[in-house]
């Protein structure tokens, strides 16, 4: 299984779902999903640890809003079915998450 998020460093990657080049987050933290289609890859057991062997595509299925963390993208792994929660990156200057897509998910959650 090809990993599209480099292990252990914050680098750009090519989205496995939409094929767009995704730049690293400007604030230096890990970008764990594609800002264009909001897909991710199942690589973590705990956020950022890259300890999962699954490698399946994480399909965005809904969003949650928490006053403390802001928008959370809920994704389901297409390989193992696990639900993951990823903090959205809406304020990233290089490539912010697609807010319209986020709103669409909040209107019709699939999970
Ligand atoms: Zn994508
Ligand atoms: Zn999985």
């Amino acid at each position: 299984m090809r990993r599209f998020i480099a292990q252990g460093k914050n680098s750009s990657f090519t989205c496995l779902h939409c094929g767009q080049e995704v730049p690293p987050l400007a604030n230096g933290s890990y970008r764990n999903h594609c800002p264009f289609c909001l897909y991710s890859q199942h690589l973590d057991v705990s956020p950022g640890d890259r300890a999962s062997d699954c490698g399946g595509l994480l399909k965005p299925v809904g969003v949650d809003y928490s006053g403390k963390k802001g928008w959370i993208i809920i994704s389901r792994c297409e390989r193992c079915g696990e639900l993951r929660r990823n903090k959205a990156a809406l304020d990233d200057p290089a490539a912010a998450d697609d807010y319209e897509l986020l709103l669409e998910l909040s209107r019709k959650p699939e999970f």
Side-chain angles (χ1 to χ4, degrees):
M1 170 61 65
R2 193 164 68 95
R3 299 197 160 208
F4 79 125
I5 300 173
Q7 196 142 13
K9 63 179 196 248
N10 190 34
S11 58
S12 65
F13 62 90
T14 303
C15 177
L16 280 183
H17 182 252
C18 70
Q20 298 236 46
E21 184 73 21
V22 180
L25 279 178
N27 67 10
S29 64
Y30 292 113
R31 190 192 288 280
N32 48 22
H33 57 273
C34 171
F36 307 107
C37 65
L38 306 182
Y39 270 67
S40 184
Q41 192 180 17
H42 191 186
L43 298 176
D44 297 345
V45 175
S46 305
D49 67 2
R50 304 292 184 258
S52 173
D53 291 328
C54 176
L57 269 184
L58 290 171
K59 182 184 185 219
V61 291
V63 288
D64 203 4
Y65 188 82
S66 138
K68 218 187 285 175
K69 291 182 175 167
W71 289 96
I72 308 285
I73 301 164
I74 300 165
S75 314
R76 188 194 292 118
C77 180
E78 293 189 325
R79 175 176 278 195
C80 72
E82 191 173 306
L83 283 175
R84 309 286 307 182
R85 296 164 67 84
N86 277 328
K87 196 175 170 305
L90 290 167
D91 51 3
D92 184 65
D97 287 355
D98 189 326
Y99 191 57
E100 289 298 313
L101 219 54
L102 213 67
L103 287 181
E104 209 174 296
L105 279 171
S106 73
R107 282 195 293 265
K108 49 174 181 69
E110 289 177 42
F111 67 103

